[in-house]
Amino acid sequence: MSMKSLLGTASMVLLLVGASATAQAQIAIGHLADYSGGTSDVGTPYGQGVADTYAWINKNGGIGGKQVNIDTVDYGYQVPRAIALYKKWSGADKVAAIMGWGTADTEALTGFLAADKIPDISGSYSAALTDPTGAGGKAKPAPYNFFYGPSYSDALRAELTWAAEDWKSKGKTGKPKYVHMGANHPYPNAPKAAGEALANELGFEVLPPLVFALSPGDYSAQCLSLKSAGANYAYLGNTAASNISVMKACKSASVDIQFMSNVWGMDENAAKAAGDAADGVIFPLRTAVSWGGDAPGMKTVMEISKISDPTGTVYRPVHYIAGVCTALYMREALDWAAKNGGATGENVAKGFYQKADWVPAGMEGVCNPSTWTAKDHRPTTKVDLYRSKVSGATDGDLNDLMKKGSIKLEKVRTVDLPRKPEWFGW
């Protein structure tokens, strides 16, 4: 072999060794984001919160002295694409964890995650993801699935608990009528059975569900159905974009109804877009405060936000803050794993079990305390219910509207649900 060939071979070996050393000096994470698909209205701020948080973590030394190599991909809320990305992330260069997103794709990946021992903390709060052992008998085992906040089912149970009290407090007689609304899709359907079961127990008359797509459209027909049926309380199971269409159509049709929303179905941007049609909607909030709230941890959120907004002038909706909390829970699980045998998926999952009533460092008063155990992945059964308040025109900058009080998120109450065995996994 010539000297030139030997030098070339040596250079290639050094490059490969260097690449291997760089890979070992990093912690790999996959990040499914929806910036362009059917849930992009809320997926964009949430995904930005996750991305900003890991950039901030890297800026401040990474995890255990290693930088986080986060592969953020806009998968457009398409299950086949999520599965293809998972195959890449679970391959030779296996990731330590996944920051996930939607219900359909998260549920589709559950078995793969368990087999490959890759933890996924997602933006889906489907109760089917909360049973790590399958002992509850309502869902298949999901030992590597996590999320931050109450499940969709528990959030709806809390809303129905409030609705039953609201009906009585107004001196109403007879049975209040309740209807579940949303697309015929795993995400809005996730809490449907749980909600209807509790509604029956609480004395509601449960009406047939009304279907409307995940995309904005003309939903006048659904509003006329609500009106003719005399519905009193309706749960909007979709994300904000399509819910706005329903709220506006029902406002135009003078439908007298109390809307209750999925956690992704209402936020500050939705109130701005829907205007007075969004006034009075009840919805759950995963964080203890919204943007600019009086909490020590808001300083950390503001620092993270400056990663993508150095001016500090952009208003961040509730979903951004939830994304920050979620990413920081994963950061601490990764950090525990790195100190206890290495950041492997199995160790990262164990990292979630090390604390009770746990708030990530620096996020005091922002993230609600959470507890995961090897037998129960329900992080909390406490549900903070809020009401959107809209007064006056909602044109203009969101920051200004919030400062003026044209849009407010008003806390209604906290519902502390029991951890009933029969509610586990659904």
Side-chain angles (χ1 to χ4, degrees):
M1 184 180 288
S2 68
M3 182 61 69
K4 185 176 180 180
S5 298
L6 285 170
L7 288 172
T9 301
S11 297
M12 181 61 72
V13 170
L14 287 171
L15 283 171
L16 290 171
V17 170
S20 176
T22 300
Q24 289 175 3
Q26 294 181 336
I27 296 173
I29 294 178
H31 176 204
L32 285 171
D34 182 14
Y35 297 152
S36 62
T39 60
S40 59
D41 53 322
V42 291
T44 297
Y46 179 88
Q48 187 68 63
V50 171
D52 284 356
T53 301
Y54 279 103
W56 176 80
I57 289 168
N58 283 337
K59 184 180 177 182
N60 288 278
I63 295 173
K66 294 184 177 183
Q67 292 286 286
V68 179
N69 180 13
I70 182 165
D71 185 15
T72 298
V73 181
D74 173 14
Y75 78 115
Y77 204 57
Q78 298 173 27
V79 174
R81 193 168 183 210
I83 292 172
L85 285 164
Y86 177 80
K87 289 179 179 178
K88 169 191 169 187
W89 291 333
S90 59
D93 297 320
K94 188 176 177 181
V95 297
I98 292 173
M99 301 297 301
W101 178 238
T103 296
D105 41 273
T106 305
E107 290 184 353
L109 292 174
T110 296
F112 296 115
L113 296 167
D116 298 328
K117 299 182 179 180
I118 299 176
D120 179 347
I121 190 166
S122 76
S124 169
Y125 310 138
S126 170
L129 305 172
T130 62
D131 187 352
T133 66
K138 300 286 178 62
K140 62 183 178 182
Y144 283 82
N145 287 97
F146 300 86
F147 57 72
Y148 158 70
S151 72
Y152 294 140
S153 296
D154 283 342
L156 179 50
R157 288 178 178 119
E159 288 175 302
L160 285 164
T161 301
W162 169 85
E165 295 168 357
D166 177 66
W167 182 256
K168 291 176 183 176
S169 71
K170 291 176 177 174
K172 303 282 190 177
T173 57
K175 284 189 170 188
K177 296 180 178 181
Y178 165 73
V179 60
H180 179 103
M181 300 180 67
N184 187 16
H185 180 280
Y187 151 57
N189 281 341
K192 181 175 171 291
E196 291 182 344
L198 184 62
N200 276 312
E201 283 183 35
L202 293 172
F204 287 83
E205 179 184 341
V206 178
L207 301 176
L210 289 175
V211 175
F212 69 103
L214 275 168
S215 55
D218 180 4
Y219 300 120
S220 301
Q222 284 84 346
C223 293
L224 291 174
S225 293
L226 288 173
K227 195 171 187 177
S228 63
N232 305 112
Y233 298 90
Y235 173 76
L236 298 173
N238 289 358
T239 57
S242 53
N243 287 353
I244 291 166
S245 295
V246 172
M247 289 185 282
K248 284 186 168 183
C250 289
K251 180 76 174 179
S252 297
S254 299
V255 180
D256 182 16
I257 192 163
Q258 173 65 62
F259 281 122
M260 304 180 298
S261 164
N262 178 278
V263 67
W264 298 110
M266 177 52 63
D267 62 5
E268 302 92 328
N269 285 320
K272 180 181 185 304
D276 61 357
D279 186 44
V281 176
I282 300 295
F283 66 103
L285 201 69
R286 290 145 295 180
T287 54
V289 292
S290 55
W291 182 250
D294 183 15
M298 189 52 62
K299 180 181 177 183
T300 304
V301 179
M302 297 286 188
E303 287 177 7
I304 290 170
S305 177
K306 286 183 179 178
I307 292 291
S308 59
D309 172 36
T311 66
T313 59
V314 173
Y315 184 94
R316 302 294 193 179
V318 291
H319 306 308
Y320 179 93
I321 303 172
V324 172
C325 286
T326 304
L328 289 176
Y329 276 110
M330 179 62 85
R331 187 268 301 262
E332 293 201 4
L334 284 161
D335 185 60
W336 183 89
K339 294 172 182 174
N340 291 273
T344 63
E346 195 169 7
N347 283 342
V348 174
K350 290 177 183 176
F352 278 97
Y353 306 146
Q354 302 307 309
K355 302 176 186 179
D357 294 327
W358 163 27
V359 173
M363 294 296 284
E364 292 77 13
V366 175
C367 307
N368 280 320
S370 302
T371 303
W372 293 271
T373 72
K375 293 184 178 180
D376 191 342
H377 281 192
R378 288 175 288 186
T380 183
T381 54
K382 286 185 179 180
V383 184
D384 291 329
L385 296 180
Y386 278 70
R387 178 185 287 113
S388 60
K389 299 292 289 181
V390 181
S391 56
T394 55
D395 298 327
D397 180 71
L398 184 58
N399 234 327
D400 293 337
L401 293 170
M402 298 301 295
K403 285 177 182 176
K404 288 190 299 184
S406 300
I407 297 172
K408 293 180 181 178
L409 305 183
E410 174 186 87
K411 188 170 183 179
V412 176
R413 63 165 294 189
T414 298
V415 179
D416 192 355
L417 294 166
R419 285 182 180 263
K420 290 186 177 182
E422 62 266 32
W423 288 355
F424 194 28
W426 76 294

